[in-house]
Amino acid sequence: MNSAEIRSRWLKFFESGNSQGIKHTVVPSASLIADDPNLLLVNAGMVPFKPFFLGELTPPYKRATSVQKCVRTLDIEEVGKTTRHASFFQMCGNFSFGDYFKEGAITLAWELLTKPISDGGYGFAEDKLWVTVYLDDDEAADIWHKKIGIPKERIQRRGMADNFWSMGIPGPCGPCSEIYFDRGAAYGKEGGPIADEDRYLEIWNLVFMQNMRGEGGGKDGFPILGELPAKSIDTGLGLERTAALLQGVENIYEIDTTQHILNRASDLSGVRYGREPSSDVSLRVIADHARTATMLIGDGVTPGNEGRGYVLRRMMRRTTRNMKLLGSDDRNMSELIKASIEAMGAQYPELQSDSARILKVAEAEEESFLQTLKSGTMIFDQRSASLKKSGTKVLSGEDVFQLHDTYGFPFDLTLEMANEEGLSIDADGFKRLMKQQRERAKADAKSKKSGHTDVTEYRKLAEGAGKLEFVGYESLESESKIVGFLVDGAGVKSASVGDDVEILLDRTPFYAEGGGQLADSGVITTSEGSVIEVEDVQSPIPGIFIHRGRVLSGQIKIGESVLAKIDGDRRKAISRAHTATHMVHKAFREILGETATQAGSENAPGRFRFDFPSSGAVSEGILNDVEARVNSLLLDNLIV
């Protein structure tokens, strides 16, 4: 049974194909880009349903089922070294939100697993299935034995570390029951899952969310506070692991989807899988990472140096380097991505329809990295040879930083290559230099807002100013009072003609630079007729607006009443540029797809800049289409 069929049977069974008549709403897989500030990428099947379990949102259905794309990178260094680790996987899940509970979840799972293949099930032999339950979960144990008919000797009890689930934070939790398949004596000793989890392979986990947990660490270091008013079900079956069992292969790298990519890597490199352990590791890394990269690019992730962009870049660069370790110097990324699309396209047709964009992103990243790899490898080899000659075994933090900063060589790649050469690296030294670089960058960014003034001076102004008000959305001018100002970064009581000043008003119509929009400019006129020309407005600390300018006439003092007036024509020009940015963004997303997300902008009088991720220069044809679309929006004369 191929992977696409396993997926299809799962969804059909829970949608309407089970004998109990318990219908579930089929929920398409969410994007791998997690809609969760605590996650870079979706790493579990229940992540899209987390707000329902936490009580943050009311679910629009009582029962749901999905096959969710997931990426986990905690064990990325182990991928390929073993046949159990993978960075991408699919989690089949069925969920009940205050509807059916333990008996429903257990009977549904048993029916799908053991129903004959000819009747739409997976056809597992009943006598090969074992289950575990939580230590004191007599209810689940009784259902397995009395209703399902599993002999007591194939029902094992385990503690919190193995059979109790929570999200790692205070909130819903509960005992779980896991279903295992006995692969036979050739895979290990008898005795059930508690004796050998290589022989007895877990395929399905049923979580019974019935409790609330408190603060605490680890898998069992937290108190159980009580029971939930509405009990829920969260289950997960690993599609790839199930495919390995149903297809009669040894591991997840030999199932139909992964092996298709692995075989392509083997053909491209001329290295046969199974020839020797070291090349097998490289082929497994390539097969896993190429697929993960394809799925990430498909969901709109672009290679970068931070966050999920760095996860993708790291995957792709490990793929390229492992192809080189196999002796292939050709550009192979496009063929590996094509193989991944072929392998996964039956389950995710959008990969096929979006293949041109996915390939373009992948090829551009490969081209960039090949240049990096060439120069960086040369420098690394020189350093490595020098260290070995001197009898030293540690690559200095300075060398690692230079490879990273000057040649774009990723830290992880340097670490990997050093290990292969029998060297270690000064990771602490590298981290120290990286921290210093980040601090310099932050200081440069802050200097524009603070003008190199000590931020504590602004805090002093704010503390003595009382309530401050921004009225710029309602008015272009405002009667105000000077509540503080600085000259040369220090607080003073007065300033005269020619002084460069930073003024704080109690009420201001001046917009401070932010969100890609430039600050307002204008004039401040005192009740005595003194004039200050305002050239810039910044917010160095939240809640205050610092007006930077020069005293053109007279003298100014703290406490004076003033009229603050912005340049209205300039504000309107900036606003038009800001609106145009949104229209251009909309047009690009309509033409290029949802991956054309805004990465930055600058809105100035008469011009604007719009940044978005792209694998190369935008063609003239697309630019013409965007221009035409924006012009059509302008002709619609929409209200802004």
Side-chain angles (χ1 to χ4, degrees):
M1 189 183 301
N2 65 36
S3 296
E5 179 66 17
I6 293 170
R7 180 180 186 272
S8 175
R9 287 184 180 227
W10 175 277
L11 295 175
K12 286 178 181 176
F13 175 83
F14 283 103
E15 184 177 27
S16 59
N18 59 80
S19 64
Q20 299 177 64
I22 302 177
K23 296 183 178 181
H24 295 65
T25 298
V26 174
V27 179
S29 174
S31 167
L32 285 167
I33 301 174
D35 186 19
D36 185 326
N38 299 310
L39 290 173
L40 277 181
L41 298 162
V42 170
N43 61 1
M46 58 76 62
V47 168
F49 304 97
K50 186 176 172 183
F52 305 149
F53 288 123
L54 290 175
E56 297 170 351
L57 293 174
T58 301
Y61 29 67
K62 289 185 176 180
R63 300 173 295 275
T65 186
S66 69
V67 179
Q68 175 62 46
K69 299 173 286 188
C70 302
V71 169
R72 288 183 187 168
T73 58
L74 286 176
D75 299 324
I76 189 172
E77 287 83 7
E78 299 304 312
V79 170
K81 294 179 183 177
T82 77
T83 57
R84 298 185 65 174
H85 291 86
S87 59
F88 174 84
F89 61 96
Q90 298 170 90
M91 189 57 69
C92 305
N94 60 291
F95 308 91
S96 165
F97 307 103
D99 192 67
Y100 65 81
F101 197 46
K102 291 182 184 179
E103 185 171 332
I106 289 171
T107 52
L108 284 168
W110 188 257
E111 180 182 350
L112 179 56
L113 286 177
T114 61
K115 182 189 288 189
I117 291 175
S118 58
D119 293 337
Y122 291 148
F124 283 101
E126 293 186 12
D127 61 354
K128 292 287 188 180
L129 297 176
W130 290 59
V131 297
T132 61
V133 297
Y134 182 54
L135 278 176
D136 62 2
D137 193 351
D138 295 332
E139 181 185 1
D142 284 346
I143 295 169
W144 280 118
H145 177 58
K146 295 177 180 178
K147 183 173 179 63
I148 302 302
I150 293 183
K152 287 186 176 181
E153 59 268 22
R154 296 215 313 269
I155 302 171
Q156 298 184 324
R157 296 179 184 254
R158 307 182 86 168
M160 285 187 75
D162 295 299
N163 273 70
F164 201 94
W165 187 91
S166 82
M167 296 183 195
I169 58 174
C173 62
C176 60
S177 180
E178 296 176 327
I179 306 172
Y180 292 78
F181 180 80
D182 179 5
R183 297 199 290 170
Y187 293 91
K189 60 186 177 182
E190 292 184 6
I194 62 173
D196 192 330
E197 289 199 9
D198 283 326
R199 171 174 172 169
Y200 300 89
L201 199 66
E202 180 201 336
I203 51 176
W204 202 335
N205 186 17
L206 315 177
V207 179
F208 311 129
M209 288 204 189
Q210 64 187 58
N211 304 109
M212 283 290 290
R213 60 156 283 184
E215 295 278 0
K219 291 186 175 182
D220 53 5
F222 51 85
I224 304 302
L225 304 179
E227 293 209 348
L228 292 169
K231 297 176 173 61
S232 298
I233 290 293
D234 161 25
T235 89
L237 173 141
L239 191 151
E240 287 76 16
R241 188 173 289 186
T242 303
L245 293 173
L246 292 177
Q247 292 172 19
V249 297
E250 291 296 310
N251 56 68
I252 58 176
Y253 287 92
E254 297 176 11
I255 65 173
D256 56 328
T257 49
T258 320
Q259 190 170 55
H260 180 76
I261 310 166
L262 191 150
N263 288 344
R264 185 69 56 86
S266 178
D267 292 341
L268 291 168
S269 64
V271 176
R272 183 174 57 83
Y273 186 63
R275 189 182 71 178
E276 59 180 67
S278 61
S279 60
D280 285 355
V281 169
S282 287
L283 286 168
R284 287 194 291 265
V285 169
I286 294 162
D288 174 84
H289 287 11
R291 175 167 63 172
T292 303
T294 301
M295 303 306 292
L296 288 171
I297 298 171
D299 276 354
V301 181
T302 54
N305 291 325
E306 294 183 353
R308 57 181 70 97
Y310 181 68
V311 171
L312 172 58
R313 172 162 284 170
R314 189 178 176 194
M315 295 279 181
M316 297 184 72
R317 293 188 167 188
R318 280 170 61 90
T319 301
T320 298
R321 182 164 181 273
N322 275 278
M323 285 298 293
K324 283 193 165 293
L325 289 176
L326 293 177
S328 176
D329 291 322
D330 298 327
R331 285 164 171 73
N332 299 298
M333 189 61 70
S334 63
E335 287 301 314
L336 294 169
I337 297 296
K338 286 176 184 176
S340 301
I341 293 173
E342 290 163 5
M344 303 303 296
Q347 298 171 70
Y348 302 98
E350 63 271 19
L351 294 175
Q352 296 170 329
S353 60
D354 206 15
S355 61
R357 180 190 63 83
I358 295 171
L359 286 165
K360 189 175 181 181
V361 171
E363 289 165 359
E365 178 64 14
E366 179 184 39
E367 183 63 34
S368 170
F369 181 55
L370 286 173
Q371 296 301 319
T372 296
L373 193 61
K374 182 179 179 181
S375 55
T377 300
M378 187 183 302
I379 299 300
F380 176 85
D381 289 344
Q382 291 173 357
R383 298 286 193 278
S384 175
S386 176
L387 287 173
K388 289 178 179 178
K389 190 175 181 179
S390 66
T392 306
K393 291 283 188 178
V394 181
L395 190 65
S396 72
E398 288 77 9
D399 285 338
V400 179
F401 180 77
Q402 183 188 24
L403 281 165
H404 177 276
D405 194 52
T406 306
Y407 299 99
F409 226 53
F411 169 82
D412 308 287
L413 185 54
T414 304
L415 177 62
E416 205 168 302
M417 292 173 66
N419 288 337
E420 290 168 1
E421 293 294 320
L423 302 173
S424 60
I425 66 173
D426 177 13
D428 290 338
F430 170 76
K431 290 174 183 175
R432 184 186 69 252
L433 292 168
M434 284 296 293
K435 182 180 178 182
Q436 291 173 2
Q437 185 187 59
R438 283 193 292 269
E439 288 171 349
R440 286 194 298 271
K442 286 181 181 178
D444 290 342
K446 284 182 178 178
S447 68
K448 179 169 175 56
K449 286 188 174 292
S450 66
H452 298 289
T453 298
D454 188 339
V455 175
T456 57
E457 294 295 331
Y458 297 121
R459 291 201 176 95
K460 290 178 185 176
L461 287 183
E463 288 167 1
K467 183 181 178 182
L468 304 175
E469 185 180 3
F470 173 69
V471 296
Y473 292 135
E474 299 85 33
S475 177
L476 301 182
E477 61 181 59
S478 171
E479 292 183 354
S480 311
K481 184 170 70 173
I482 297 176
V483 292
F485 60 86
L486 306 174
V487 174
D488 294 330
V492 294
K493 294 183 178 180
S494 64
S496 304
V497 174
D499 285 342
D500 290 324
V501 293
E502 296 180 280
I503 298 174
L504 181 63
L505 304 175
D506 64 343
R507 299 176 78 244
T508 182
F510 284 84
Y511 179 83
E513 181 178 358
Q517 183 160 321
L518 296 183
D520 284 326
S521 62
V523 294
I524 297 173
T525 306
T526 71
S527 56
E528 299 296 323
S530 301
V531 177
I532 304 99
E533 182 181 35
V534 178
E535 299 171 342
D536 186 27
V537 184
Q538 295 290 332
S539 181
I541 62 175
I544 74 168
F545 294 77
I546 295 297
H547 307 73
R548 292 190 184 139
R550 176 168 294 182
V551 180
L552 298 183
S553 64
Q555 187 180 55
I556 61 172
K557 300 185 292 292
I558 290 178
E560 273 194 287
S561 296
V562 299
L563 177 67
K565 185 175 182 180
I566 71 168
D567 182 337
D569 291 339
R570 183 175 181 275
R571 161 80 76 84
K572 289 178 182 177
I574 293 173
S575 296
R576 286 193 291 269
H578 198 155
T579 301
T581 298
H582 288 294
M583 291 192 292
V584 167
H585 186 194
K586 175 177 173 59
F588 269 119
R589 294 189 78 163
E590 287 180 352
I591 294 166
L592 296 179
E594 294 301 305
T595 59
T597 54
Q598 182 170 338
S601 67
E602 181 181 85
N603 303 299
R607 65 178 178 83
F608 67 91
R609 190 195 76 243
F610 174 71
D611 305 332
F612 69 97
S614 175
S615 58
V618 180
S619 70
E620 186 175 351
I622 289 176
L623 290 175
N624 289 337
D625 290 344
V626 169
E627 183 178 357
R629 178 63 176 128
V630 172
N631 285 335
S632 73
L633 289 170
L634 292 172
L635 291 172
D636 288 340
N637 198 27
L638 302 171
I639 296 174
V640 178

